[in-house]
């Protein structure tokens, strides 16, 4: 069964403490892997799309990487405003998108 | 770029009434729009996929007669919750994929539906 698993479920960091969020997937034919940020009561905000193993993308304090089995979202020197739920989603060849359950990130000032 | 809006952002209605939610792509044309619902502290669950000018494709377990979807143009899709009941209370989110571009979906801000 196709699956997208995010870990950890929740993560508390001190401001400035770098860490990584994991998204592991098992799908037959990856068309794209997506990272989104979601704040409470709001829709997901697009961060990155990755298409193939070895690809990396950066935006401010965030960097996303992709292998054949997993993706990492690295957050460097986070600030309290980076607190949110980070969602990973994977799209197969047939356009179906599967979302992980998300990682709730809390950055303490 | 790639902005998606939803209206209304919040709606409270009585049981038995119907509610329409609009989803618009503001600065791009969307061949495909998607409707999701999300329960508290859970991930997004795809309800249906709509393509402009054709019937929506519903996910297993989603009643097409209860959740009516219309994708009338390349920038507008609507979701109508018919004869709403308290168990339909949820956060409904739409997304849109740009015509001829990458598979990335851009999401609207969501609509909080509360059925009394």
């Amino acid at each position: 069964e196709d699956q997208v698993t995010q870990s950890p479920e929740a993560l508390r960091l001190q401001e400035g403490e770098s860490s990584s969020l994991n998204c592991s997937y098992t799908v037959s034919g990856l068309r794209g892997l997506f990272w989104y940020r979601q704040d409470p009561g709001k829709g997901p905000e697009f961060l990155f799309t990755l298409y193939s193993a070895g690809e990396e993308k950066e935006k401010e304090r965030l960097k996303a990487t992709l292998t054949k089995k997993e993706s990492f979202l690295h957050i460097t020197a986070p600030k309290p405003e980076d607190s949110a739920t980070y969602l990973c989603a994977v799209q197969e060849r047939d356009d179906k998108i599967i979302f992980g359950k998300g990682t709730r990130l809390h950055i303490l000032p | 770029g790639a902005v998606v809006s939803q209206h209304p952002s919040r709606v409270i209605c009585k049981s038995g009434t119907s509610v329409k939610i609009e989803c618009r792509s503001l600065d791009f044309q969307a061949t495909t729009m998607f409707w999701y619902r999300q329960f508290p502290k859970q991930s997004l669950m795809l309800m249906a996929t709509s393509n402009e000018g054709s019937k929506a494709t519903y996910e297993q377990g989603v009643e097409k007669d209860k959740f009516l979807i219309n994708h009338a143009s390349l920038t507008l899709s609507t979701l109508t919750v018919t004869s709403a009941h308290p168990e339909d209370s949820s956060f409904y989110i739409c997304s849109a994929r740009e015509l001829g571009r990458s598979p990335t979906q851009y999401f609207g801000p969501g609509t909080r539906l509360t059925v009394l």
Side-chain angles (χ1 to χ4, degrees), chain A residues 31-32 34 36 38 41-46 49 51 87 91 95-97 99-102 104, chain B residues 34 36 38 41-44 46 59 91 93 97 101-110 112:
Chain A
R31 188 178 174 195
F34 314 95
Y36 293 88
Q38 187 175 26
K42 297 187 177 180
E45 175 190 344
F46 171 71
T49 300
Y51 295 100
L87 297 170
Q91 184 169 9
D95 279 357
K96 181 180 177 181
I97 279 190
F99 274 89
K101 294 184 178 180
R104 296 189 307 279
Chain B
F34 306 84
Y36 296 82
Q38 186 177 35
K41 295 189 177 181
Q42 294 191 23
S43 193
L44 284 76
L46 180 65
E59 293 299 301
F91 191 51
I93 313 174
R97 192 166 65 208
R101 298 291 294 270
S102 80
T104 301
Q105 293 183 21
Y106 298 94
F107 285 84
R112 172 71 61 191

Side-chain angles (χ1 to χ4, degrees), chain B residues 8-28:
Chain B
S9 58
R10 186 180 296 269
V11 58
I12 301 172
C13 68
K14 293 182 179 180
S15 185
T17 61
S18 294
V19 175
K20 179 185 282 189
I21 302 170
E22 290 188 351
C23 177
R24 293 181 184 272
S25 56
L26 298 184
D27 53 359
F28 66 99

